Amino acid sequence: MTTAPEITPQEQEQLEQLYAAFDAAHMKPLWTQIGGLMPTSPRPDSVPMLWRWSTLLPLAERAGDLVPVGRGGERRAIALANPGLSGTPYATPTLWAAIQYLGPREEAPAHRHTQTAFRFVVEGEGVWTNVEGDPVAMRRGDLLLTPGMHFHEHHNTTDHPMAWIDGLDIPLVRTIDASFFEFGPEVLATKETPEVSRNERLWGHPGLTPVGAPTPKASPLMAYRWEHTDAALTAQLELEREGQPGVVEPGHAVVRFTNPATAGDCLTTMRCEMHRLLAGTSTALTRTAGSSVWQIFEGSGVVTVGDERYEVGTGDLFCVPSWAGLAFDSPGGLDAFRYSDDPVFEALGLARTAREVRT
């Protein structure tokens, strides 16, 4: 390494004057910034964080008693705020996560926005979300989509409350200044409660594309039902026992929710997956450029995120910052839902993954 030459007091004074001139002109020299601007690997501001369902749900219930749902506030959704992100209501720099709570017979009015959204249901049923006037039932284990600029509203048809998680790309859209928002009608588009929505009737047939339907950027299928997800994961692990390929690693099955019109990701800015670990499975340590949020759908285990180690169970959520090591140990087996910003990193040519087998 070359040693920097000593500078004279006169040169030091000139440098200080130069830096003061830079500041006055709103300029920053690269040579004083390069360590922060171009680190040797990601240095995320977000930190590993665990939110327990046993804490989230009672707080959402209290909000249900005190905070109405209606025009203005729009949704009784409580965001998960990563303590590393300076008080912003973000789980990671690109992903928003919240628990949404809808009381008995309540209605959440229609609106639409640039941000892409989904709902994932860890327990309960009886709520319908109307997406562009198409009523979609929400049930345990279902993934429900709301692509950007689709009018959507929710209504609870039962005498008991229901909670679920919302995932959106709010931080990403806010950062690139692409946000648009519009209120919809005050009255629900429909109060119909069909078992199967129109979009499922058209697009929900495996391997069969309706030729007369348009091909949108995001998935035209608004509901991915748990019975299909469960069957696909079960089949992967059955094939593994028969010596056939399909799992990502021993005892670890994964399915990705895709757009039936294009076979790409179901949403343009977020990837959604369901993972199943057999009892006794320990995964490899994985690092990914980009961040993710996970929710344990069923079962329990221990998850390592960076330097943190969490015991997790049904409903618990945790976030994985960019390039933080992630590994699972599940003595009893578990199912976990994951969503990430992977499609954005892939589209920008920034995707990178590393795997380390643990011993």
Side-chain angles (χ1 to χ4, degrees), residues 2-24:
T2 304
T3 303
E6 293 187 10
I7 61 174
T8 66
Q10 182 181 10
E11 289 172 332
Q12 179 62 40
E13 182 180 354
Q14 291 173 336
L15 274 175
E16 291 174 357
Q17 291 173 352
L18 176 63
Y19 290 141
F22 284 157
D23 288 341

Side-chain angles (χ1 to χ4, degrees), residues 144-167:
L144 301 315
L145 304 187
T146 308
M149 297 311 289
H150 282 50
F151 278 113
H152 53 284
E153 58 198 8
H154 317 309
H155 63 116
N156 189 341
T157 66
T158 73
D159 293 323
H160 53 78
M162 183 171 164
W164 60 87
I165 67 163
D166 288 344

Side-chain angles (χ1 to χ4, degrees), residues 160-200:
H160 53 78
M162 183 171 164
W164 60 87
I165 67 163
D166 288 344
L168 291 91
D169 56 4
I170 290 175
L172 173 67
V173 174
R174 175 65 186 86
T175 297
I176 61 176
D177 288 329
S179 300
F180 293 90
F181 181 97
E182 297 177 20
F183 292 116
E186 298 283 344
V187 180
L188 290 178
T190 178
K191 291 192 176 183
E192 295 178 3
T193 56
E195 285 294 307
V196 183
S197 60
R198 295 193 299 273
N199 67 81
E200 292 173 85

